[in-house]
Amino acid sequence: MSQTTAPVIPLHSIGALNGADHRRIRSLASRALTPRSVEKVRPVTREHLRSLLERHADTGEFDVRKEITLIPFMSVVSFLDIDMEEAASIGQQMAGGAADAFGPNVTQETRDKANATFAALMEFVGDLVESRRSKPRDDLLTRLIAAEEDGHRLSRDELIVLFTNIFGGAIETTSSMMTSTFLELARHPDQLELLRQDPEELKRGTVEEVLRYRPAFYASGNKANADTEAAGLRFEAGEPLSIIIGGPNRDPARFSDPDRFDITRDPTTWSFTFSMGPHFCLGQALARAELQETAAAIARHTRDLELTEEPKWLARVMVNHVDRCPIRYRFEL
Ligand code: HEM
């Protein structure tokens, strides 16, 4: 029997805040995550992908689901200007994961494991804050510390939790979408062939289509912020809502022939995979940049890509995850 730890999901979590507090906290981080500021992650992601595909060139086989998580981890570590030595300690713990606690078969053990992961992550961020406080850098964390020292804009707890939300929110979601990128391109060789003809031009459309077709979350939880009526239903202010992302992503009024996987759709018609409204994903520009470089790397460095086994979708609440994604390919330099 495992030892029970107290739940550590904090009330300050940005996803749980609404109104003025939510706007205040969100605005402190949003400028660091604009499409322009995330450009620097592209070469890092490209190089990690090429190196992963080259590492397995001999056998031409590996399980994407198992090996891909390290890439968004290293990309976000580099993006947030965290030293690899600083990050190594937490990487191992995060690989243990918290995702198992979001399923129908949650046990005390999976719950304790998830709580231990969150606790370790927040402790790691707490140490990082002290390190930047004594040696400031030109990075997001140092700017958030300045807002905290200002006294009004951010409390210490809010600072730790916001940075933990950004760091923690960047990895499992992106690795799940990277896996789906491999999965859908292996399943649709005609579309992969098309992408190969012009990866720079088509990588954006490819990623928007994977996001639409195979979202990392199939639902998001929100609250109505006012009495309102939608789709013929009435909602009271504060009423909890579950918004099913998979539905609008396959709405024929928005996407013609929605069950067809087609990388040439207009990439400016966004799906609902990053949600919508005030809690719209803060890291979407970073995730999109990483995923576009993943799609381009698959096009450039693989030939004859195929699945060696049909993955199984795991029973989870809200999140879409496969158990494994084993592939075979020929490596192309
Ligand atoms: C493809 C990968 C990703 C997907 C599919 C995704 C999806 C989402 C979704 C659906 C929400 C809204 C949840 C809600 O409505 O309550 C959200 C919020 C959020 N995401 Fe992402 N995300 C991804 C990557 C990232 C990355 C890379 C970061 C950090 C750099 C990040 C940080 C956040 C944060 C901080 C929020 C909370 C925003 C708020 O409540 O105002 N996400 N994400």
Side-chain angles (χ1 to χ4, degrees):
M1 180 76 108
S2 64
Q3 199 196 343
T4 306
T5 52
V8 290
I9 301 267
L11 290 173
H12 302 292
S13 178
I14 185 169
L17 293 174
N18 283 306
D21 276 345
H22 176 248
R23 283 193 296 278
R24 170 177 54 87
I25 290 188
R26 192 177 158 105
S27 72
L28 289 167
S30 56
R31 259 170 300 151
L33 290 156
T34 59
R36 205 157 143 227
S37 65
V38 303
E39 278 302 300
K40 70 174 186 179
V41 88
R42 288 184 187 274
V44 180
T45 310
R46 256 195 320 263
E47 180 47 28
H48 285 314
L49 252 301
R50 189 203 54 76
S51 140
L52 173 65
L53 290 165
E54 189 168 16
R55 198 160 64 245
H56 294 285
D58 279 358
T59 60
E61 289 189 20
F62 71 97
D63 179 357
V64 178
R65 179 78 199 117
K66 196 167 150 214
E67 303 221 11
I68 207 82
T69 310
L70 201 57
I71 296 182
F73 177 76
M74 290 194 291
S75 298
V76 79
V77 161
S78 141
F79 175 75
L80 294 172
D81 207 12
I82 302 171
D83 299 334
M84 209 32 100
E85 303 78 67
E86 286 175 323
S89 61
I90 193 65
Q92 200 82 25
Q93 174 92 35
M94 286 173 82
D100 288 348
F102 295 87
N105 306 319
V106 179
T107 59
Q108 192 56 49
E109 200 177 333
T110 48
R111 206 173 279 139
D112 288 348
K113 197 170 138 197
N115 277 329
T117 302
F118 284 121
L121 189 54
M122 286 203 291
E123 196 184 322
F124 166 75
V125 173
D127 291 348
L128 211 56
V129 166
E130 294 321 316
S131 149
R132 292 296 180 278
R133 216 189 282 284
S134 55
K135 282 196 195 138
R137 288 187 188 178
D138 181 16
D139 64 4
L140 173 65
L141 187 53
T142 305
R143 284 194 293 281
L144 293 178
I145 292 168
E148 184 229 352
E149 287 173 350
D150 210 25
H152 303 296
R153 292 190 287 158
L154 200 63
S155 71
R156 185 186 148 82
D157 283 356
E158 287 170 342
L159 163 66
I160 306 258
V161 174
L162 174 60
F163 199 76
T164 304
N165 283 165
I166 293 172
F167 187 50
I171 298 161
E172 194 57 29
T173 47
T174 313
S175 72
S176 161
M177 287 307 315
M178 282 179 172
T179 306
S180 293
T181 308
F182 273 91
L183 181 64
E184 296 308 335
L185 288 175
R187 276 180 174 162
H188 298 92
D190 59 321
Q191 298 294 298
L192 177 52
E193 203 40 55
L194 199 59
L195 174 63
R196 270 194 194 114
Q197 286 165 24
D198 195 348
E200 281 313 301
E201 181 62 29
L202 283 168
K203 65 186 182 186
R204 186 168 164 221
T206 303
V207 167
E208 293 310 315
E209 185 62 348
V210 178
L211 286 164
R212 179 190 79 82
Y213 197 79
R214 203 58 79 192
F217 293 98
Y218 58 81
S220 80
N222 294 81
K223 282 185 181 162
N225 59 4
D227 289 351
T228 189
E229 208 177 306
L233 300 168
R234 290 188 60 75
F235 302 98
E236 283 175 28
E239 197 175 331
L241 301 172
S242 182
I243 296 168
I244 308 300
I245 290 168
N249 278 11
R250 302 253 182 146
D251 179 356
R254 195 169 164 83
F255 301 100
S256 65
D257 196 2
D259 292 337
R260 184 165 45 90
F261 180 78
D262 178 359
I263 66 167
T264 66
R265 288 179 198 275
D266 176 2
T268 62
T269 307
W270 282 5
S271 63
F272 287 80
T273 296
F274 292 112
S275 193
M276 67 217 88
H279 290 278
F280 179 61
C281 177
L282 203 51
Q284 56 83 24
L286 181 66
R288 281 186 155 109
E290 290 181 62
L291 291 169
Q292 287 168 12
E293 297 316 314
T294 304
I298 296 172
R300 287 206 183 91
H301 300 300
T302 71
R303 294 291 175 270
D304 303 328
L305 177 69
E306 59 180 357
L307 297 172
T308 56
E309 202 181 287
E310 200 49 40
K312 280 192 211 66
W313 294 95
L314 296 173
R316 294 273 186 268
V317 176
M318 299 217 217
V319 292
N320 261 337
H321 279 306
V322 284
D323 58 344
R324 319 166 3 88
C325 182
I327 55 160
R328 182 182 298 134
Y329 61 101
R330 278 190 298 113
F331 178 71
E332 182 94 1
L333 198 57

